[in-house]
Amino acid sequence: MVQVEPSQDLVAGELYDDAVFVGSYTCPTTTDPDCPFTCATLKECDACGCFVIDEGGGPWGPAMDVIMCLLPIFFLLGVTLKPNPLPTTTSLPAAAIMMFLIRVMYLGSNPVLCTGAIISGFHEALSPLTIMFGAIVLFETMEATLCMPFMMREMKALTEGHIVAELMLIFSFAYMIEGASGFGTPVALGAPMLASLGHPKLGSVVTLLVMNTFATIWGAAGTPIWFGFGNLGLAEDQFVQVSFKGGVCLTICAYLLLPTSVLTILCPFGVIRQNIIFVLLSLSSVMVPVLGMSFVTYEFPALIGGMIGCVVTAGLIRMRLGLKEYKKDDATEGRHLKISTTSENSIVRSIAKARDVTSMQVDDVVGGDLEAIDNVTDKEDVKGNAENENGNQDDGQNGIVDKLGNYEGKGIGPGPETRQQDQQENTERSYIKSITSHLNHDSRMDDAENLAHLSDVDQALGPRKSGPAYYRELLGRTCPLWGTVLLLIVTRVQQIGLKDLLLKREPYFQIDFGTYGIFRLSASLVFQLIDILTHPDLSWKYELLYVPFIIPFVLMSLITMVLYRRDLQASPKAIFGTCLGRLKKPAVALLGALALVQLMIKEGAAAPADIIGSNLSQALREGWIVFTALIGTLGSFFSGSTTISNLTFGGIQEIAAESIGTSVTSMLALQAVGASAGNGVCLNNIIAACTVVGLNVSEGKIIAKTFKPVLGMCVLATVTMLAFFFRF
């Protein structure tokens, strides 16, 4: 046995050629064969430099190792995409249990590590759950304070109900939010806005999920690059190379896929083709700055590109540059005249409920002609006039709704006695038109929609102001959104200095919870659990003030409640209660999802994700490039994060690039683009988006719609990288 010289500097956790291996333990800092037997606990092993070595494979060879490690993923895909899918509240915990059994029964993994990984996953679920809660609170507050109906009315006024203009404005907004925050925030903010503009909830969620795939490699000020690949020892210029190579891929994908595969989810391609000049100008206002910035920085391309895109797109809409009028069918025209809601506390829902009585009677004669509908309406007019003589109908909340559905809020809008007869007749005619349009609309894309006419919303909000009063109201009513964006920017941009303050882990106090772990809470409210089940490689942290929960969502919600307390349609207690109620089912699904993620990625060569990547890359050699983007997509699918996908597979991609003699930064860029595309099929994002919007459909139905654009992005990115960057 070779002895180590006493003067040699030894580092715990690094393997030396003469290190001692005993069973599944190693002591890298000594050659004493008795060292592994002197440690009674994993904590003591960590203190003296010993650690557990898992072999990283099962007894049936590399091919079977890959199949067994992928088995829970295949199971998850199968039960999610089948015609009658299992709910994720069942399938995700089942997949996690399956992975646990494979690890301990086939791979022979350390049971302490596997059990600790599940505990770690349960704690990790706190991040997406609190983000979802914060986003729901913000939008429920905006609805209850009339801010959301106001913004939707103004957006309709700006776009004049033009669906292409609305989609491109939301695309720019979501791009900016991704650059500032990440964490699935763009989908949580953008999908309810798109649904509130009157678009189907399912289509809104699918559209935002796919739109978000073009930006996430620069999400949260470049976190997927500088943190996701941070353990690879890359130089600063290599990070920038990954950024601009990924930027080239995503720019090409955006120009080819956004008009043909993304906007068409909600808008017919014929309409896109008529307005292609506007689409390309708006898209260029985002992607050209993004591409330019990606050559000099990996932190701010999405943030700056999205901000410029919002301003330029709004200007293009106002000037009607490239926007063409197009022929609308009845359903489309009716939807353009409406505003929707995802909230139980919205005035829009009150208006929609008031319409239900008349709608139900119209449904009885829907098989007939318009004359039959006119007869029903005439009867309602007579009945309504008779009842109006005795008083209006109370909607049960804070205002009065008459038989025509016109809402008279307390202190907002004129009362029925002040309306002119000709205005009432116009409202009746537009209402009949909207009813027939809604009946002709294909409702398969909708889920419990609540649609209200713009005229009704105008009456609820009161007459539009002009001059300085209008701009003051515009600034105040949009405060929840621009305040959220501002807070995200000041807490994420490193140069401002708040980010480091919010992430400080010291000073702290700690409590030893025995073998469960060591709990720490820092002065910056960073929660940590160290050495879970005494395993030195298992820990958890939750940055309360940095995760987009308290700041900005809850904070801006409270500010908005105070500013518009007189307009509140529901109490703060009711708003928070609604939000908690929406999280019951997603909480179960996310606990299973995050437990599965931790079982996949923990720890080192023994992790199933590492086994899958290393074995496939060794077997495929140059052919590995074809699967690089798909591996990144797979990482985002099960982990819910571009950053985690890069952390999981970045080292494997680096080794694969070196073994086949090609560019490491090109391989990492393709991994990052694939991981970005994977956000379109990521179960965590899908669950969060459906929860915020209030959509009750299976995740498989959404994946079936997002899969094609995601696959198209992976193929285009691979072709682009082969054409421009890979050299052998």
Side-chain angles (χ1 to χ4, degrees):
M1 180 180 296
V2 180
Q3 297 293 326
V4 180
E5 294 297 329
S7 60
Q8 181 177 348
D9 293 330
L10 300 173
V11 180
E14 293 188 6
L15 292 177
Y16 297 91
D17 292 337
D18 49 4
V20 174
F21 291 85
V22 180
S24 61
Y25 292 86
T26 180
C27 280
T29 60
T30 181
T31 55
D32 182 1
D34 295 326
C35 176
F37 300 103
T38 62
C39 303
T41 66
L42 288 172
K43 186 175 181 180
E44 292 178 5
C45 288
D46 186 40
C48 76
C50 303
F51 58 92
V52 179
I53 296 293
D54 286 307
E55 297 301 324
W60 297 344
M64 200 62 194
D65 290 350
V66 172
I67 293 173
M68 293 297 287
C69 291
L70 286 173
L71 198 58
I73 304 298
F74 291 150
F75 164 79
L76 195 58
L77 288 172
V79 300
T80 302
L81 300 178
K82 70 187 184 77
N84 296 310
L86 278 179
T88 50
T89 51
T90 301
S91 60
L92 282 167
I97 293 171
M98 189 182 299
M99 179 59 75
F100 176 82
L101 294 176
I102 288 171
R103 291 206 62 169
V104 297
M105 298 175 69
Y106 175 75
L107 296 177
S109 299
N110 181 358
V112 174
L113 173 65
C114 296
T115 307
I118 294 176
I119 294 174
S120 176
F122 288 167
H123 286 81
E124 293 289 349
L126 185 62
S127 291
L129 283 172
T130 51
I131 293 169
M132 289 161 55
F133 179 81
I136 297 171
V137 167
L138 179 66
F139 275 93
E140 288 290 326
T141 301
M142 290 166 65
E143 290 280 12
T145 56
L146 306 182
C147 290
M148 180 60 80
F150 174 87
M151 283 188 279
M152 295 304 101
R153 182 184 71 174
E154 296 307 309
M155 190 173 289
K156 286 287 187 183
L158 174 65
T159 63
E160 297 181 4
H162 202 297
I163 187 172
V164 178
E166 291 172 355
L167 288 172
M168 292 309 299
L169 197 58
I170 293 293
F171 172 74
S172 302
F173 175 77
Y175 219 100
M176 175 181 64
I177 296 298
E178 178 62 36
S181 176
F183 294 98
T185 311
V187 180
L189 286 175
M193 290 180 65
L194 203 52
S196 295
L197 286 168
H199 300 291
K201 292 181 182 178
L202 177 58
S204 300
V205 169
V206 172
T207 299
L208 261 296
L209 283 168
V210 181
M211 280 182 174
N212 198 39
T213 61
F214 297 101
T216 64
I217 72 169
W218 303 291
T223 300
I225 293 179
W226 64 260
F227 185 75
F229 298 132
N231 59 343
L232 303 181
L234 301 179
E236 187 75 10
D237 64 319
Q238 289 178 301
F239 283 132
V240 174
Q241 287 181 41
V242 172
S243 173
F244 83 74
K245 290 177 180 180
V248 170
C249 289
L250 289 175
T251 300
I252 292 174
C253 289
Y255 277 102
L256 293 177
L257 293 178
L258 193 75
T260 58
S261 300
V262 183
L263 301 182
T264 52
I265 295 169
L266 287 174
C267 181
F269 181 70
V271 177
I272 302 296
R273 188 173 58 234
Q274 291 176 14
N275 296 273
I276 194 64
I277 294 177
F278 169 80
V279 171
L280 293 177
L281 288 174
S282 176
L283 182 58
S284 297
S285 71
V286 177
M287 298 311 299
V288 170
V290 164
L291 182 60
M293 291 298 299
S294 70
F295 278 80
V296 295
T297 178
Y298 50 84
E299 293 180 309
F300 304 122
L303 178 60
I304 294 176
M307 292 176 68
I308 294 174
C310 284
V311 174
V312 173
T313 299
L316 292 172
I317 295 171
R318 184 170 293 278
M319 294 186 293
R320 316 303 291 178
L321 188 59
L323 280 176
K324 305 286 186 182
E325 293 297 328
Y326 59 94
K327 184 179 179 181
K328 308 178 182 71
D329 58 22
D330 288 338
T332 307
E333 185 174 3
R335 191 166 285 278
H336 281 198
L337 297 172
K338 295 174 183 176
I339 292 175
S340 183
T341 183
T342 63
S343 170
E344 291 287 342
N345 303 309
S346 174
I347 197 173
V348 175
R349 184 178 291 267
S350 301
I351 296 170
K353 284 182 177 179
R355 296 286 188 178
D356 284 347
V357 176
T358 306
S359 298
M360 290 172 63
Q361 296 184 20
V362 173
D363 286 341
D364 293 336
V365 294
V366 69
D369 54 16
L370 286 176
E371 183 178 353
I373 297 177
D374 288 336
N375 291 335
V376 173
T377 308
D378 291 338
K379 293 178 182 178
E380 286 298 314
D381 289 345
V382 174
K383 184 178 179 182
N385 291 333
E387 292 200 9
N388 281 337
E389 293 176 1
N390 299 320
N392 290 322
Q393 178 185 357
D394 195 334
D395 73 337
Q397 295 188 20
N398 294 328
I400 303 298
V401 180
D402 64 18
K403 286 298 182 182
L404 290 173
N406 297 323
Y407 186 93
E408 181 191 358
K410 293 183 178 179
I412 51 175
E417 66 277 9
T418 63
R419 300 191 185 102
Q420 299 298 323
Q421 184 65 31
D422 58 339
Q423 291 177 327
Q424 187 175 10
E425 292 173 355
N426 289 336
T427 303
E428 292 172 9
R429 286 195 294 271
S430 64
Y431 170 53
I432 294 301
K433 188 175 183 181
S434 70
I435 286 291
T436 56
S437 300
H438 183 59
L439 291 172
N440 291 330
H441 175 64
D442 182 2
S443 62
R444 289 173 296 175
M445 290 285 286
D446 303 336
D447 182 80
E449 288 186 302
N450 291 276
L451 293 161
H453 239 273
L454 279 172
S455 58
D456 298 329
V457 176
D458 274 335
Q459 291 169 8
L461 294 175
R464 297 184 68 184
K465 298 179 176 63
S466 59
Y470 168 75
Y471 290 107
R472 284 196 299 270
E473 184 175 25
L474 179 65
L475 185 66
R477 293 288 186 185
T478 58
C479 170
L481 279 187
W482 62 254
T484 296
V485 174
L486 183 62
L487 285 174
L488 287 172
I489 292 173
V490 299
T491 56
R492 262 67 185 170
V493 177
Q494 189 83 31
Q495 289 77 0
I496 294 177
L498 283 178
K499 180 178 179 179
D500 290 338
L501 183 63
L502 299 179
L503 295 176
K504 289 184 67 174
R505 301 186 193 181
E506 294 179 348
Y508 62 83
F509 79 88
Q510 72 177 38
I511 304 173
D512 192 339
F513 286 125
T515 56
Y516 189 77
I518 299 172
F519 172 79
R520 291 178 181 174
L521 177 62
S522 75
S524 296
L525 299 183
V526 177
F527 295 78
Q528 297 180 80
L529 190 61
I530 310 298
D531 296 341
I532 298 174
L533 297 189
T534 72
H535 199 289
D537 294 322
L538 291 177
S539 61
W540 163 81
K541 71 176 185 300
Y542 177 74
E543 294 126 347
L544 179 62
L545 300 181
Y546 184 75
V547 171
F549 166 45
I550 300 294
I551 301 174
F553 291 143
V554 174
L555 178 59
M556 288 309 306
S557 298
L558 295 175
I559 291 173
T560 305
M561 288 179 190
V562 172
L563 289 177
Y564 294 101
R565 55 190 177 277
R566 294 183 179 179
D567 293 337
L568 272 173
Q569 307 294 300
S571 67
K573 181 180 179 180
I575 292 173
F576 282 97
T578 299
C579 301
L580 287 173
R582 284 202 197 176
L583 292 180
K584 291 179 181 177
K585 289 185 178 179
V588 176
L590 287 172
L591 287 171
L594 273 298
L596 176 63
V597 169
Q598 294 300 310
L599 285 168
M600 285 285 293
I601 66 176
K602 298 294 184 183
E603 178 70 43
D610 195 278
I611 291 172
I612 294 168
S614 59
N615 286 329
L616 286 179
S617 63
Q618 291 173 15
L620 295 172
R621 302 290 297 171
E622 287 83 357
W624 171 256
I625 293 174
V626 177
F627 297 94
T628 297
L630 293 174
I631 290 294
T633 300
L634 176 66
S636 292
F637 168 75
F638 68 72
S639 73
S641 166
T642 304
T643 301
I644 299 299
S645 180
N646 290 346
L647 274 170
T648 303
F649 293 115
I652 298 167
Q653 304 285 15
E654 181 184 40
I655 293 170
E658 292 173 346
S659 66
I660 64 178
T662 191
S663 168
V664 170
T665 56
S666 297
M667 191 74 82
L668 295 179
L670 190 52
Q671 153 68 33
V673 172
S676 184
N679 282 264
V681 293
C682 160
L683 287 174
N684 292 7
N685 287 352
I686 292 172
I687 294 169
C690 291
T691 303
V692 174
V693 171
L695 179 63
N696 184 25
V697 299
S698 69
E699 289 75 9
K701 187 174 182 179
I702 294 177
I703 292 175
K705 295 180 179 297
T706 60
F707 175 72
K708 290 182 180 179
V710 168
L711 181 61
M713 180 179 291
C714 290
V715 172
L716 281 174
T718 302
V719 172
T720 301
M721 295 300 293
L722 285 170
F724 292 103
F725 299 117
F726 279 119
R727 297 291 182 269
F728 300 98

